[in-house]
Amino acid sequence: MNKKLDISSNINWFNQYSFFRTLDTDEQTFLIANSNKVNFDRREVLFKQNTRTSHVMFLQSGLVKIFKEGKSKKRLALKIVNPGNFIGLMSVFGDDIYQYSASAVEDSEIFMTDRSAFLNLIKKNGDFAMDIIHTLCKDGLFIFDKLMAQAYKHLPGRIANVLLYFSQDIYKSHVFEFQLTRKELAELCGTTKESFIRTINEFKNDKIINLNGRKVEIVSMNLVKILSDLG
Amino acid sequence: MNKKLDISSNINWFNQYSFFRTLDTDEQTFLIANSNKVNFDRREVLFKQNTRTSHVMFLQSGLVKIFKEGKSKKRLALKIVNPGNFIGLMSVFGDDIYQYSASAVEDSEIFMTDRSAFLNLIKKNGDFAMDIIHTLCKDGLFIFDKLMAQAYKHLPGRIANVLLYFSQDIYKSHVFEFQLTRKELAELCGTTKESFIRTINEFKNDKIINLNGRKVEIVSMNLVKILSDLG
DNA sequence: ATATTTAGGTGATTTAAATCATTTACTTGT
DNA sequence: ACAAGTAAATGATTTAAATCACCTAAATAT
């Protein structure tokens, strides 16, 4: 599950991700020397809320869910992480303890870097630091948007948000297949599975989407956007 | 309202704030040379959502409210900024456009730095960059907590949160005076003024707090914590 | 000084969504 | 192939909080 990294074979995939673009060859070599690649199976936990932070994780392939657990097994999913993005940066550099959990939604390859090595690169390379800062800001603004939606949008609006999120950010297609259960989707909308099912089936009955099990087709992107907008 | 800064008189207050601790004398001089001090009166707007970002703002004295405006004049207050903290960093480095507004809750002195000069310091001084990263992470985690509370805590729990927030983070006392109207306090709890008034008056009737206009005394900190915890 | 607006407060009513209960349809493991 | 567990779905009921309507008390403007 955990393997040492060979430098030459890794420099290549580095350059496809904008994050490592700012690192020079020495820095890339240093990063690789202080990292491992770890594979996680679907549903495996990457890290659990309330455990100590240790590594910076970068998703190479697969799909990862970020979620928070509260009292009486209530869960709220924050987002789904796409390949080419960091996982849990906010906790690693914000607290010694993870403030949320992460689990693999699909089989995933994670590039794990020692926290202190990553910190060295940030301190040494200002452009790299700025990329990280930009990402953290974007992430923060995303959460603020979710907070606003949670406070003021009704369920149809929040479900429309999530449909747009999957279609535009995750799968980049108007047809896709959820890799999450209804309960998990409900957690992403900040509601219960029953309410989620009822409301998304109304979308289906109103022919705004086609829904067959986990297969979705957005029939009227326009209506979904209007629903999201009106809240 | 806007005055040029004299270097020698400013180096002093710099050192009382941990943020500028990592800057050497040259960097401090550079920062001051690229900054102005601006005063805002109570209720004046520092920046408005959907306008272009331009400066990094640091609160020297006063109190500032960060809030987002949605459809049909719905507002959600994110937080109250204390002296010694940056205002709107997340938008300045996350987007060209402010994603939220800020207004002075009390008369406030703002130290404003040109975005590009601030960026230079981040790129040049890795420790400074790490401090900024740490702050952004903390801010992000704070919003995530609010999101969780908004999704799963009932109003009494969210009001208890806000009471703890004022008492522990803002005023650092169990007696304090709100500088906000009931409507603004409601916006900080993600509710309406009517619901806020009803619920906080229940706290008063149950002798958990004393409330007289805007004057608050937390009578049983323990009960407030329990209410916050149970949700 | 008086009018007008803004803030604080209360009661009655409605409403969105949670909760509870149960059924049916899939997966997953042995 | 079958049992057992998990996921999806739907109806009935309850509930927290929004909305609506109104009133009083301060604050601000003329």
Side-chain angles (χ1 to χ4, degrees), chain A:
Chain A
M1 186 167 148
N2 185 328
K3 55 183 169 184
K4 281 279 166 194
L5 293 173
D6 151 49
I7 290 165
S8 57
S9 75
N10 273 282
I11 292 284
N12 282 336
W13 71 260
F14 259 34
N15 297 308
Q16 76 179 279
Y17 296 119
S18 58
F19 275 118
F20 306 110
R21 177 196 61 193
T22 55
L23 302 180
D24 64 31
T25 313
D26 278 359
E27 289 165 341
Q28 292 193 352
T29 306
F30 173 77
L31 181 57
I32 290 166
N34 287 282
S35 301
N36 320 69
K37 195 180 283 183
V38 184
N39 290 299
F40 288 89
D41 294 336
R42 186 172 143 77
R43 286 181 203 167
E44 238 186 303
V45 171
L46 275 72
F47 54 82
K48 246 180 115 63
Q49 190 172 327
N50 301 325
T51 59
R52 284 187 78 78
T53 58
S54 58
H55 290 81
V56 173
M57 299 187 187
F58 181 84
L59 185 60
Q60 269 191 267
S61 70
L63 224 48
V64 166
K65 179 181 72 161
I66 302 290
F67 60 101
K68 222 169 152 69
E69 301 180 271
K71 299 267 152 187
S72 62
K73 57 195 158 12
K74 284 185 187 302
R75 285 178 167 196
L76 180 73
L78 176 67
K79 64 169 176 173
I80 305 298
V81 180
N82 257 345
N85 292 287
F86 290 102
I87 302 158
L89 260 195
M90 206 168 257
S91 251
V92 174
F93 292 118
D95 210 315
D96 286 339
I97 306 290
Y98 278 114
Q99 299 301 302
Y100 45 82
S101 303
S103 68
V105 167
E106 295 174 356
D107 294 354
S108 298
E109 284 180 296
I110 311 288
F111 182 77
M112 284 178 106
T113 309
D114 298 332
R115 181 194 188 154
S116 61
F118 200 89
L119 223 132
N120 271 330
L121 287 177
I122 289 175
K123 288 192 182 175
K124 186 165 168 287
N125 184 328
D127 290 308
F128 185 64
M130 266 316 298
D131 281 354
I132 298 297
I133 286 175
H134 188 249
T135 305
L136 286 168
C137 289
K138 283 277 181 194
D139 286 354
L141 293 174
F142 174 81
I143 312 176
F144 198 176
D145 261 356
K146 276 212 91 160
L147 171 59
M148 189 75 185
Q150 188 66 41
Y152 290 123
K153 282 188 187 179
H154 286 164
L155 194 46
R158 299 198 319 260
I159 291 183
N161 278 168
V162 166
L163 287 170
L164 291 174
Y165 178 60
F166 276 106
S167 127
Q168 295 174 346
D169 300 335
I170 308 298
Y171 297 115
K172 287 154 174 96
S173 162
H174 67 112
V175 267
F176 55 86
E177 192 168 342
F178 289 133
Q179 295 300 317
L180 301 172
T181 64
R182 297 291 194 260
K183 182 166 176 295
E184 288 178 301
L185 291 167
E187 285 163 2
L188 204 50
C189 298
T191 186
T192 58
K193 77 176 196 302
E194 293 96 323
S195 296
F196 176 85
I197 288 168
R198 266 184 264 270
T199 308
I200 202 161
N201 282 335
E202 276 171 37
F203 284 26
K204 184 187 177 179
N205 295 334
D206 296 345
K207 317 266 185 243
I208 298 165
I209 61 168
N210 276 331
L211 183 65
N212 197 301
R214 298 192 179 176
K215 292 192 194 77
V216 189
E217 180 196 354
I218 298 186
V219 176
S220 168
M221 187 62 84
N222 215 351
L223 277 173
V224 175
K225 282 179 183 162
I226 288 168
L227 280 166
S228 156
D229 199 50
L230 296 180

Side-chain angles (χ1 to χ4, degrees), chain B residues 117-173:
Chain B
F118 200 88
L119 222 131
N120 271 330
L121 287 176
I122 289 176
K123 287 191 182 177
K124 185 165 168 286
N125 184 327
D127 290 307
F128 185 64
M130 266 317 298
D131 281 353
I132 297 297
I133 286 175
H134 187 248
T135 305
L136 287 168
C137 288
K138 283 277 182 197
D139 286 354
L141 292 174
F142 174 82
I143 312 174
F144 198 176
D145 260 356
K146 276 212 93 160
L147 171 58
M148 190 75 185
Q150 188 65 43
Y152 290 123
K153 283 188 186 178
H154 286 163
L155 193 47
R158 298 196 322 260
I159 291 183
N161 278 169
V162 167
L163 287 170
L164 291 174
Y165 178 60
F166 276 106
S167 127
Q168 296 174 345
D169 300 335
I170 309 297
Y171 297 114
K172 288 156 174 94
S173 163

